[in-house]
Amino acid sequence: MKSTINDVAARAGVSIKTVSRVINNEPSVRPATRKKVMDAVEELHYQPNLAARNLAGTRSYTIALIYDNPNAYYVIDMQNGILETCKARGYELLIHPSDSRSDKVNDELRALVEHSKVAGVVLTPPFSETQSVIDEVKKLGLDYVRIVSSGAAKGDEDNCIQVDDAAASYDITKHLIEHGHKRIGFLCGGEEHVSTHGRLDGYKDALQQAGIAIDPGLIIPGEYSFDSGVEGAKALLSIENPPTAIFASNDEMAAGALFAARLMHIEIPEQLSIVGFEDSPFSRQTWPKLTTAHQPNNEIARCAAALVLNKARSKGASETAAANKDAGITKKFVPELLVRDSTGNAPI
C-alpha cells in the first residue's frame, strides 16, 4: 500500500499539519523537525498527491513553462532545470509549447489560466520579450518570470533572469580578431528574438573597438536552425571576397555552417574558422568541435523556477522579506567563451 501523510506524521512523531508545512516548503518549521519529516518521507517513499493538493485548497502547486524555440536542446535544458526545482519544492510543471507568430497567443494564455490552475509562469524568448504577452500575463494576475536577453529587461528587472548576449558576443568576436581575422561573417538568428540583436551588437562593438569597418554584406539574416546556418554560410562563402571566419548566432546554425563548408571542400579551421553560441550538444557532436559561448541553460532555468515560486509563495509578504528570499538566486548570466577546435589563425 502507498504511504499516506498520516504514516509520515506517525513515523516522524509530528502532526499532519507539520508534515504539510514541510512538504510545502514553508519557512515556519525548525530545521531539526524538517529533517525528521524528510527522513520519514524518504524511508516511506511517500509521494504527495499534487493533483489533490491543487483541488483541495486555494493555493496551486503547478507552474507553467511557455515556449516557442526551434532548438530542441534549449527546450530540454529549460524543462529539466525547471523540473529539478519544482520537484525539490513539491511542485509540478505544466509544459505549454505555443506559436509566437500566432495572433491567438493571448487567447491561449487565458485558456491556460482558466483550465489549468497555475501558481505562476516562466516565459522564454520570444514570449518573454513580447510586450503584448507580458501585458496579458499581468492582466491575468499571474506571478511570472521572464528569461530574457539583457536589453529586454529594462524596468522589469525584478521579474527577469537576464543573459548578457552582447558581452558574450563581444568576447567571441574579439577571440577571432586576436587570431588575425578581419573579415568575419555573422549569421543572425530570428529577428523576433532580442538575443539576435544583442549578439549582433556585441559583434559590431568588437569590430569597431579593433578599428575594423563593419561590412553589411557579411551580415546575413536567418533563423536559429541548422538549415539557416547551411544557407547563410553558402551565401557568405560564395561572395567575391569571402570571410575567413563565420560567427553563427547559435550552435545549431554553426553546425549548419560547418556542413556547408564541408560541401564546398573548405578545411576547418585551416581555411575558415567557425564559432557558435550556447554550448549545446551540437557544439560537441561536430568535427571539429565548435568554439562557442557556454550558456548554462539548465542553471538559468533552475533560477527562473526558484524566482517564480518565491513570488508565488511571498504574496502578502513585505518587499524586504521577498527580496531576502531571492538573495541566493543568480539573476544575470554572461555566457563564457569556450575555445575548441573550430577556430584558428586567419589564413595568410
Side-chain angles (χ1 to χ4, degrees):
M1 290 178 62
K2 286 182 66 176
S3 297
T4 67
I5 193 170
N6 292 355
D7 298 325
V8 174
R11 176 68 65 92
V14 298
S15 68
I16 293 172
K17 191 171 183 180
T18 299
V19 175
S20 178
R21 283 175 178 162
V22 172
I23 291 170
N24 293 333
N25 203 30
E26 293 182 11
S28 56
V29 181
R30 288 180 298 177
T33 302
R34 185 181 301 277
K35 185 178 185 307
K36 279 199 301 183
V37 172
M38 292 311 296
D39 286 346
V41 166
E42 189 173 343
E43 289 166 11
L44 295 170
H45 304 291
Y46 173 67
Q47 292 185 327
N49 186 332
L50 294 177
R53 288 162 69 198
N54 279 337
L55 290 169
T58 56
R59 177 179 288 176
S60 170
Y61 294 93
T62 303
I63 63 171
L65 166 65
I66 301 174
Y67 70 89
D68 178 13
N69 192 306
N71 185 343
Y73 291 120
Y74 175 86
V75 173
I76 290 169
D77 276 345
M78 286 291 124
Q79 291 178 5
N80 288 343
I82 295 172
L83 268 172
E84 189 177 325
T85 298
C86 284
K87 285 181 178 178
R89 298 199 182 189
Y91 279 71
E92 284 193 340
L93 173 63
L94 175 64
I95 298 167
H96 187 80
S98 187
D99 181 359
S100 60
R101 295 175 182 176
S102 168
D103 58 3
K104 299 187 183 298
V105 169
N106 287 354
D107 293 336
E108 285 186 38
L109 271 173
R110 284 192 292 273
L112 177 71
V113 174
E114 288 172 11
H115 299 126
S116 305
K117 190 177 171 184
V118 293
V121 295
V122 175
L123 298 171
T124 62
F127 293 119
S128 58
E129 299 162 346
T130 303
Q131 194 58 50
S132 62
V133 173
I134 299 162
D135 290 342
E136 186 64 29
V137 169
K138 290 178 179 178
K139 193 188 302 181
L140 291 167
L142 285 174
D143 289 301
Y144 68 92
V145 168
R146 301 160 53 204
I147 298 174
V148 298
S149 187
S150 293
K154 290 178 182 175
D156 196 31
E157 287 84 357
D158 287 346
N159 293 305
C160 290
I161 301 293
Q162 300 181 56
V163 178
D164 196 336
D165 291 288
S169 178
Y170 179 94
D171 290 341
I172 291 172
T173 309
K174 184 181 176 185
H175 166 72
L176 293 171
I177 292 168
E178 287 172 347
H179 282 75
H181 297 280
K182 294 183 177 179
R183 287 189 60 76
I184 303 170
F186 189 88
L187 302 181
C188 298
E191 64 176 13
E192 71 273 18
H193 290 266
V194 177
S195 61
T196 295
H197 305 283
R199 293 170 195 183
L200 180 58
D201 288 344
Y203 159 83
K204 289 180 176 179
D205 288 346
L207 291 178
Q208 289 175 331
Q209 286 281 334
I212 300 171
I214 296 168
D215 182 350
L218 294 178
I219 300 171
I220 307 294
E223 300 290 337
Y224 284 120
S225 69
F226 180 88
D227 289 343
S228 181
V230 173
E231 295 307 313
K234 282 182 177 178
L236 283 172
L237 297 172
S238 298
I239 63 178
E240 186 175 345
N241 185 14
T244 61
I246 293 177
F247 181 169
S249 288
N250 76 350
D251 294 329
E252 195 168 351
M253 296 179 77
L258 186 60
F259 180 74
R262 291 240 182 274
L263 292 178
M264 300 173 77
H265 306 291
I266 296 171
E267 295 294 324
I268 311 296
E270 292 80 8
Q271 295 174 283
L272 175 72
S273 289
I274 296 176
V275 298
F277 199 109
E278 284 182 14
D279 191 26
S280 76
F282 269 106
S283 68
R284 301 183 292 278
Q285 291 166 352
T286 60
W287 184 259
K289 293 178 181 178
L290 290 167
T291 291
T292 186
H294 173 65
Q295 180 171 305
N297 289 326
N298 188 278
E299 184 182 352
I300 289 168
R302 291 200 307 271
C303 288
L307 186 58
V308 77
L309 289 177
N310 281 2
K311 291 179 182 302
R313 297 182 62 80
S314 296
K315 281 185 174 176
S318 68
E319 287 187 18
T320 302
N324 288 341
K325 288 190 87 174
D326 295 346
I329 298 173
T330 302
K331 289 188 176 180
K332 189 164 187 177
F333 292 82
V334 181
E336 296 180 358
L337 175 66
L338 187 55
V339 179
R340 294 199 181 107
D341 303 324
S342 66
T343 51
N345 293 329
I348 299 172

